[in-house]
Short mmCIF file of all heavy atoms in Angstrom, two decimals:
data_model
loop_
_atom_site.label_atom_id
_atom_site.label_comp_id
_atom_site.label_asym_id
_atom_site.label_seq_id
_atom_site.Cartn_x
_atom_site.Cartn_y
_atom_site.Cartn_z
N LEU S 1 113.92 101.25 94.50
CA LEU S 1 113.56 101.04 95.89
C LEU S 1 114.56 100.03 96.52
O LEU S 1 114.19 98.84 96.74
CB LEU S 1 112.11 100.48 96.05
CG LEU S 1 111.00 101.44 95.53
CD1 LEU S 1 109.77 100.66 95.42
CD2 LEU S 1 110.83 102.65 96.39
N PRO S 2 115.77 100.45 96.76
CA PRO S 2 116.78 99.50 97.24
C PRO S 2 116.49 98.82 98.55
O PRO S 2 117.04 97.82 98.80
CB PRO S 2 118.04 100.36 97.23
CG PRO S 2 117.63 101.74 97.35
CD PRO S 2 116.29 101.86 96.55
N SER S 3 115.55 99.44 99.33
CA SER S 3 115.24 98.79 100.57
C SER S 3 114.28 97.65 100.46
O SER S 3 114.01 96.95 101.41
CB SER S 3 114.68 99.86 101.53
OG SER S 3 113.46 100.34 101.06
N ARG S 4 113.69 97.49 99.27
CA ARG S 4 112.65 96.47 99.05
C ARG S 4 113.34 95.22 98.38
O ARG S 4 114.22 95.27 97.56
CB ARG S 4 111.60 96.95 98.09
CG ARG S 4 110.72 98.13 98.66
CD ARG S 4 109.95 97.64 99.76
NE ARG S 4 109.01 98.70 100.20
CZ ARG S 4 108.16 98.62 101.27
NH1 ARG S 4 108.21 97.48 102.06
NH2 ARG S 4 107.40 99.62 101.68
N ARG S 5 112.85 94.12 98.86
CA ARG S 5 113.29 92.76 98.31
C ARG S 5 112.34 92.36 97.19
O ARG S 5 111.16 92.87 97.02
CB ARG S 5 113.36 91.70 99.37
CG ARG S 5 114.27 91.99 100.56
CD ARG S 5 114.31 90.83 101.49
NE ARG S 5 113.00 90.27 101.72
CZ ARG S 5 112.30 90.56 102.80
NH1 ARG S 5 112.58 91.57 103.63
NH2 ARG S 5 111.06 90.03 102.98
N ALA S 6 112.80 91.39 96.31
CA ALA S 6 111.91 90.92 95.25
C ALA S 6 110.60 90.34 95.73
O ALA S 6 109.53 90.55 95.23
CB ALA S 6 112.74 89.91 94.39
N ASP S 7 110.64 89.56 96.87
CA ASP S 7 109.47 89.04 97.39
C ASP S 7 108.47 89.98 97.92
O ASP S 7 107.26 89.82 97.83
CB ASP S 7 109.80 87.94 98.48
CG ASP S 7 110.46 88.52 99.70
OD1 ASP S 7 111.27 89.49 99.51
OD2 ASP S 7 110.23 87.99 100.81
N GLU S 8 109.02 91.15 98.44
CA GLU S 8 108.07 92.27 98.87
C GLU S 8 107.46 92.90 97.62
O GLU S 8 106.24 93.23 97.63
CB GLU S 8 108.86 93.29 99.68
CG GLU S 8 109.47 92.78 100.94
CD GLU S 8 110.22 93.87 101.69
OE1 GLU S 8 111.20 94.27 101.10
OE2 GLU S 8 109.82 94.25 102.79
N LEU S 9 108.20 93.11 96.56
CA LEU S 9 107.57 93.62 95.34
C LEU S 9 106.50 92.74 94.85
O LEU S 9 105.33 93.25 94.53
CB LEU S 9 108.74 93.69 94.26
CG LEU S 9 108.41 94.44 93.03
CD1 LEU S 9 108.13 95.93 93.19
CD2 LEU S 9 109.51 94.33 91.94
N VAL S 10 106.72 91.50 94.75
CA VAL S 10 105.63 90.50 94.40
C VAL S 10 104.47 90.53 95.30
O VAL S 10 103.27 90.56 94.94
CB VAL S 10 106.25 89.04 94.36
CG1 VAL S 10 105.17 88.02 94.11
CG2 VAL S 10 107.21 88.93 93.19
N GLY S 11 104.77 90.73 96.63
CA GLY S 11 103.64 90.79 97.61
C GLY S 11 102.73 92.02 97.42
O GLY S 11 101.50 91.88 97.57
N PHE S 12 103.27 93.16 97.01
CA PHE S 12 102.43 94.30 96.80
C PHE S 12 101.52 94.06 95.63
O PHE S 12 100.34 94.39 95.59
CB PHE S 12 103.30 95.49 96.48
CG PHE S 12 103.78 96.24 97.70
CD1 PHE S 12 105.15 96.14 98.14
CD2 PHE S 12 102.92 96.98 98.57
CE1 PHE S 12 105.63 96.76 99.25
CE2 PHE S 12 103.43 97.56 99.69
CZ PHE S 12 104.68 97.43 100.08
N TYR S 13 102.01 93.46 94.52
CA TYR S 13 101.18 93.12 93.40
C TYR S 13 100.11 92.11 93.80
O TYR S 13 98.89 92.22 93.51
CB TYR S 13 102.03 92.56 92.28
CG TYR S 13 102.55 93.62 91.30
CD1 TYR S 13 103.67 94.29 91.57
CD2 TYR S 13 102.07 93.69 90.03
CE1 TYR S 13 104.24 95.24 90.77
CE2 TYR S 13 102.52 94.60 89.10
CZ TYR S 13 103.60 95.40 89.51
OH TYR S 13 104.13 96.29 88.63
N GLN S 14 100.50 91.05 94.50
CA GLN S 14 99.57 89.97 94.98
C GLN S 14 98.47 90.63 95.79
O GLN S 14 97.33 90.36 95.59
CB GLN S 14 100.33 88.96 95.78
CG GLN S 14 99.45 87.94 96.45
CD GLN S 14 100.18 87.22 97.53
OE1 GLN S 14 101.34 87.35 97.79
NE2 GLN S 14 99.37 86.35 98.24
N ASP S 15 98.84 91.45 96.75
CA ASP S 15 97.76 92.06 97.63
C ASP S 15 96.84 92.93 96.83
O ASP S 15 95.59 92.88 97.09
CB ASP S 15 98.42 92.90 98.79
CG ASP S 15 99.19 92.12 99.75
OD1 ASP S 15 99.02 90.88 99.77
OD2 ASP S 15 100.04 92.70 100.47
N ALA S 16 97.34 93.72 95.90
CA ALA S 16 96.48 94.60 95.10
C ALA S 16 95.55 93.82 94.20
O ALA S 16 94.36 94.11 94.13
CB ALA S 16 97.38 95.49 94.30
N LEU S 17 96.06 92.83 93.59
CA LEU S 17 95.20 91.99 92.64
C LEU S 17 94.12 91.22 93.51
O LEU S 17 93.00 91.12 93.03
CB LEU S 17 96.14 91.07 91.87
CG LEU S 17 97.07 91.78 90.83
CD1 LEU S 17 98.09 90.78 90.27
CD2 LEU S 17 96.31 92.43 89.72
N THR S 18 94.56 90.71 94.63
CA THR S 18 93.61 90.02 95.44
C THR S 18 92.43 90.96 95.93
O THR S 18 91.26 90.58 95.94
CB THR S 18 94.32 89.43 96.69
OG1 THR S 18 95.25 88.52 96.20
CG2 THR S 18 93.35 88.62 97.53
N GLU S 19 92.84 92.16 96.26
CA GLU S 19 91.89 93.16 96.77
C GLU S 19 90.83 93.56 95.65
O GLU S 19 89.68 93.59 95.88
CB GLU S 19 92.58 94.43 97.25
CG GLU S 19 91.59 95.47 97.74
CD GLU S 19 92.36 96.75 98.36
OE1 GLU S 19 93.63 96.62 98.67
OE2 GLU S 19 91.78 97.75 98.52
N VAL S 20 91.35 93.74 94.50
CA VAL S 20 90.60 94.14 93.34
C VAL S 20 89.62 92.96 92.98
O VAL S 20 88.41 93.12 92.64
CB VAL S 20 91.40 94.58 92.09
CG1 VAL S 20 90.47 94.78 90.93
CG2 VAL S 20 92.16 95.91 92.48
N ALA S 21 90.15 91.73 93.02
CA ALA S 21 89.37 90.55 92.68
C ALA S 21 88.23 90.27 93.64
O ALA S 21 87.19 89.74 93.30
CB ALA S 21 90.19 89.27 92.63
N ALA S 22 88.43 90.76 94.85
CA ALA S 22 87.38 90.58 95.84
C ALA S 22 86.18 91.49 95.52
O ALA S 22 85.01 91.15 95.87
CB ALA S 22 87.90 91.06 97.25
N THR S 23 86.30 92.65 94.91
CA THR S 23 85.27 93.45 94.48
C THR S 23 84.84 93.33 92.99
O THR S 23 83.79 93.79 92.64
CB THR S 23 85.65 94.94 94.69
OG1 THR S 23 86.79 95.28 93.96
CG2 THR S 23 85.83 95.21 96.20
N GLU S 24 85.74 92.69 92.29
CA GLU S 24 85.39 92.38 90.85
C GLU S 24 85.62 90.88 90.65
O GLU S 24 86.71 90.36 90.09
CB GLU S 24 86.37 93.20 89.95
CG GLU S 24 86.15 93.04 88.52
CD GLU S 24 84.68 93.51 88.06
OE1 GLU S 24 84.42 94.69 88.19
OE2 GLU S 24 83.88 92.55 87.80
N PRO S 25 84.66 90.05 91.12
CA PRO S 25 84.85 88.47 91.05
C PRO S 25 85.06 87.96 89.74
O PRO S 25 85.48 86.86 89.61
CB PRO S 25 83.70 88.05 91.81
CG PRO S 25 82.63 89.12 91.67
CD PRO S 25 83.44 90.41 91.57
N ASN S 26 84.75 88.71 88.59
CA ASN S 26 84.89 88.22 87.29
C ASN S 26 86.21 88.58 86.69
O ASN S 26 86.37 88.58 85.49
CB ASN S 26 83.82 88.69 86.38
CG ASN S 26 82.48 88.01 86.72
OD1 ASN S 26 82.43 86.95 87.12
ND2 ASN S 26 81.37 88.82 86.49
N LEU S 27 87.26 88.82 87.49
CA LEU S 27 88.51 89.32 87.00
C LEU S 27 89.40 88.06 86.61
O LEU S 27 89.53 87.11 87.41
CB LEU S 27 89.25 90.06 88.10
CG LEU S 27 90.57 90.68 87.67
CD1 LEU S 27 90.37 91.79 86.62
CD2 LEU S 27 91.30 91.31 88.89
N SER S 28 89.99 88.14 85.45
CA SER S 28 91.02 87.14 85.01
C SER S 28 92.30 87.92 84.66
O SER S 28 92.28 89.04 84.32
CB SER S 28 90.49 86.48 83.73
OG SER S 28 89.31 85.72 83.92
N LEU S 29 93.40 87.24 84.93
CA LEU S 29 94.75 87.83 84.72
C LEU S 29 95.59 87.15 83.72
O LEU S 29 95.60 85.94 83.66
CB LEU S 29 95.48 87.81 86.09
CG LEU S 29 94.79 88.37 87.33
CD1 LEU S 29 95.63 88.23 88.53
CD2 LEU S 29 94.47 89.88 87.08
N LEU S 30 96.22 87.93 82.89
CA LEU S 30 97.22 87.44 82.01
C LEU S 30 98.60 88.08 82.35
O LEU S 30 98.81 89.35 82.23
CB LEU S 30 96.89 87.80 80.57
CG LEU S 30 97.85 87.25 79.53
CD1 LEU S 30 97.92 85.68 79.55
CD2 LEU S 30 97.47 87.71 78.14
N LEU S 31 99.45 87.32 82.97
CA LEU S 31 100.73 87.84 83.45
C LEU S 31 101.74 87.91 82.34
O LEU S 31 101.97 86.82 81.69
CB LEU S 31 101.21 86.99 84.66
CG LEU S 31 100.19 86.76 85.77
CD1 LEU S 31 100.92 86.04 86.95
CD2 LEU S 31 99.62 88.10 86.29
N MET S 32 102.40 89.05 82.10
CA MET S 32 103.06 89.27 80.85
C MET S 32 104.49 89.90 81.15
O MET S 32 104.68 91.05 81.32
CB MET S 32 102.33 90.36 80.03
CG MET S 32 100.81 89.88 79.87
SD MET S 32 99.89 91.16 78.87
CE MET S 32 100.57 90.82 77.20
N PRO S 33 105.48 88.96 81.29
CA PRO S 33 106.87 89.48 81.32
C PRO S 33 107.28 90.20 80.03
O PRO S 33 106.73 89.76 78.92
CB PRO S 33 107.67 88.29 81.52
CG PRO S 33 106.91 87.14 81.04
CD PRO S 33 105.43 87.49 81.23
N HIS S 34 108.18 91.19 80.16
CA HIS S 34 108.53 91.93 78.91
C HIS S 34 110.05 92.11 78.78
O HIS S 34 110.45 92.77 77.89
CB HIS S 34 107.77 93.26 78.85
CG HIS S 34 107.61 93.80 77.51
ND1 HIS S 34 108.22 94.92 77.01
CD2 HIS S 34 106.76 93.44 76.52
CE1 HIS S 34 107.76 95.17 75.78
NE2 HIS S 34 106.79 94.28 75.53
N ASP S 35 110.80 91.54 79.67
CA ASP S 35 112.26 91.67 79.69
C ASP S 35 112.82 90.50 80.42
O ASP S 35 112.39 90.19 81.47
CB ASP S 35 112.63 92.96 80.28
CG ASP S 35 114.05 93.41 79.91
OD1 ASP S 35 115.02 92.60 80.19
OD2 ASP S 35 114.28 94.58 79.50
N GLN S 36 113.90 89.82 79.86
CA GLN S 36 114.47 88.64 80.49
C GLN S 36 115.82 88.92 81.06
O GLN S 36 116.57 88.05 81.48
CB GLN S 36 114.49 87.50 79.54
CG GLN S 36 115.38 87.65 78.34
CD GLN S 36 115.30 86.48 77.35
OE1 GLN S 36 114.68 85.47 77.71
NE2 GLN S 36 115.87 86.62 76.17
N ARG S 37 116.31 90.17 81.01
CA ARG S 37 117.61 90.43 81.49
C ARG S 37 117.78 90.49 83.05
O ARG S 37 116.82 90.98 83.72
CB ARG S 37 118.10 91.82 80.93
CG ARG S 37 118.30 91.80 79.39
CD ARG S 37 118.56 93.21 78.85
NE ARG S 37 117.44 94.19 79.04
CZ ARG S 37 117.40 95.42 78.59
NH1 ARG S 37 118.44 95.95 78.01
NH2 ARG S 37 116.37 96.13 78.81
N GLY S 38 118.84 90.01 83.48
CA GLY S 38 119.09 90.01 84.93
C GLY S 38 118.72 88.76 85.62
O GLY S 38 117.85 87.96 85.22
N GLU S 39 119.38 88.48 86.78
CA GLU S 39 119.05 87.34 87.57
C GLU S 39 117.63 87.43 88.14
O GLU S 39 116.95 86.44 88.17
CB GLU S 39 120.10 87.16 88.72
CG GLU S 39 119.84 85.90 89.59
CD GLU S 39 120.95 85.79 90.65
OE1 GLU S 39 121.91 86.59 90.62
OE2 GLU S 39 120.74 84.92 91.55
N ILE S 40 117.31 88.64 88.65
CA ILE S 40 115.90 88.88 88.96
C ILE S 40 115.39 89.77 87.81
O ILE S 40 115.69 90.90 87.55
CB ILE S 40 115.88 89.71 90.30
CG1 ILE S 40 116.44 88.93 91.39
CG2 ILE S 40 114.42 90.05 90.59
CD1 ILE S 40 116.55 89.71 92.71
N SER S 41 114.43 89.13 86.98
CA SER S 41 113.90 89.74 85.82
C SER S 41 112.39 89.74 85.84
O SER S 41 111.83 89.19 86.74
CB SER S 41 114.38 88.95 84.54
OG SER S 41 113.82 87.62 84.57
N ASP S 42 111.84 90.42 84.85
CA ASP S 42 110.39 90.32 84.70
C ASP S 42 109.91 88.87 84.67
O ASP S 42 108.86 88.54 85.25
CB ASP S 42 109.93 90.92 83.32
CG ASP S 42 110.04 92.45 83.27
OD1 ASP S 42 110.75 93.08 84.01
OD2 ASP S 42 109.30 93.00 82.41
N VAL S 43 110.72 88.01 84.13
CA VAL S 43 110.32 86.59 83.92
C VAL S 43 110.17 85.93 85.30
O VAL S 43 109.21 85.23 85.70
CB VAL S 43 111.28 85.87 83.00
CG1 VAL S 43 110.86 84.42 82.96
CG2 VAL S 43 111.29 86.43 81.67
N SER S 44 111.27 86.03 86.09
CA SER S 44 111.26 85.43 87.39
C SER S 44 110.30 86.03 88.34
O SER S 44 109.56 85.26 89.14
CB SER S 44 112.64 85.42 88.02
OG SER S 44 113.08 86.84 88.28
N LEU S 45 110.02 87.37 88.34
CA LEU S 45 109.08 88.03 89.13
C LEU S 45 107.68 87.60 88.83
O LEU S 45 106.84 87.43 89.67
CB LEU S 45 109.20 89.47 89.10
CG LEU S 45 110.54 90.10 89.71
CD1 LEU S 45 110.66 91.55 89.27
CD2 LEU S 45 110.50 89.92 91.24
N THR S 46 107.47 87.46 87.49
CA THR S 46 106.11 87.12 86.99
C THR S 46 105.77 85.65 87.44
O THR S 46 104.66 85.41 87.91
CB THR S 46 105.97 87.33 85.52
OG1 THR S 46 106.32 88.63 85.20
CG2 THR S 46 104.60 86.95 85.07
N ARG S 47 106.73 84.77 87.42
CA ARG S 47 106.51 83.40 87.85
C ARG S 47 106.17 83.35 89.31
O ARG S 47 105.27 82.64 89.76
CB ARG S 47 107.74 82.55 87.44
CG ARG S 47 107.90 82.25 86.01
CD ARG S 47 109.18 81.58 85.73
NE ARG S 47 109.41 81.34 84.27
CZ ARG S 47 110.49 81.05 83.74
NH1 ARG S 47 111.63 80.91 84.45
NH2 ARG S 47 110.60 80.82 82.47
#
């Protein structure tokens, strides 16, 4: 998705998780990077 920025990608995840947590208030999250390659990586996006 070359038209999307990293902060937009994070925003889609944030919105989805917030929406699900509103209907499932007992939700806990474990954020799990799985690759550290690249300046923008799983690690930086997860943080």
Side-chain angles (χ1 to χ4, degrees):
L1 299 168
S3 64
R4 296 290 185 185
R5 303 188 311 271
D7 61 327
E8 292 179 300
L9 189 66
V10 170
F12 278 107
Y13 273 77
Q14 174 199 353
D15 291 345
L17 295 168
T18 302
E19 182 178 342
V20 173
T23 57
E24 185 59 70
N26 290 331
L27 185 66
S28 297
L29 304 177
L30 184 61
L31 306 188
M32 308 178 73
H34 208 250
D35 196 305
Q36 63 182 353
R37 293 173 293 182
E39 183 179 350
I40 300 174
S41 67
D42 285 22
V43 177
S44 65
L45 291 170
T46 303
R47 289 172 181 161

